[in-house]
Amino acid sequence: MTIPLDRIDQHILAILARQGRISYRALAEQVHLTPRPCQARVRKLERAGIIRGYHAELALPQHDSVVVLVQVALSDQSGRAAQQAFEHAMLACEQVEDCWLVSGEFNYQLRLRCRDLAQFHQLSAAWLENPQLRIGRLLSSPQLQQIKLGR
């Protein structure tokens, strides 16, 4: 369902993107509404699928995990079946935090969080050996330091 977003809806979305746990009262004050109409707008945005969920932003200690950015090129570009198989596998993999279909030399950009590089190596080896995924090439870059968290 697509709904038009006015200035107040956009302001609500911007605030919730930064502060997902803000109270309706505080949110209403920031967008210059009373709490009940503000809550009604949030519910409308949720029902429309514009707000898909609320998440905790984690800052795990560096020694507890490793983040790896991975570019994936599929070997078989003959149809959507290869993409669907790959996307299904990524949705099911708990280490995959983000997966984007991209244009260019690679088909997908991933962000994984693994226990360590050995776990990433095992996971990527299993992907490469799986003929259903049709992965032609992986390019991985382990994160050294997080400079800025995007929003």
Side-chain angles (χ1 to χ4, degrees):
M1 167 162 93
T2 303
I3 62 169
L5 300 177
D6 65 15
R7 178 185 53 80
I8 294 172
D9 291 332
Q10 291 173 356
H11 196 188
I12 287 171
L13 293 171
I15 293 168
L16 288 176
R18 291 186 316 275
Q19 300 174 271
R21 292 180 55 134
I22 191 170
S23 70
Y24 285 118
R25 181 179 307 281
L27 179 61
E29 288 174 10
Q30 290 187 37
V31 298
H32 308 292
L33 291 175
T34 58
R36 192 169 298 249
C38 182
Q39 181 181 22
R41 282 179 177 255
V42 171
R43 298 277 189 246
K44 175 187 73 171
L45 294 166
E46 290 171 343
R47 282 190 308 275
I50 294 169
I51 298 175
R52 296 188 307 202
Y54 299 88
H55 307 280
E57 182 178 310
L58 305 177
L60 298 174
Q62 195 76 15
H63 64 278
D64 285 352
S65 62
V66 62
V67 173
V68 183
L69 303 176
V70 182
Q71 293 176 298
V72 179
L74 300 182
S75 60
D76 183 352
Q77 298 300 313
S78 62
R80 183 76 176 121
Q83 288 180 322
Q84 288 175 331
F86 180 81
E87 291 169 9
H88 182 72
M90 296 306 103
L91 287 168
C93 182
E94 68 182 48
Q95 288 80 17
V96 176
E97 291 188 340
D98 296 301
C99 177
W100 300 277
L101 177 65
V102 296
S103 64
E105 185 178 347
F106 292 90
N107 304 104
Y108 292 93
Q109 176 78 37
L110 311 173
R111 183 166 50 101
L112 285 77
R113 183 173 303 275
C114 298
R115 269 189 323 277
D116 50 30
L117 287 176
Q119 184 188 31
F120 169 71
H121 178 70
Q122 291 171 339
L123 186 61
S124 60
W127 289 347
L128 288 166
E129 292 171 4
N130 184 338
Q132 292 178 329
L133 298 184
R134 300 178 186 164
I135 295 175
R137 196 169 70 157
L138 289 177
L139 178 64
S140 61
S141 302
Q143 173 184 310
L144 299 178
Q145 178 182 8
Q146 182 174 339
I147 307 301
K148 178 181 178 182
L149 180 64
R151 277 272 162 206

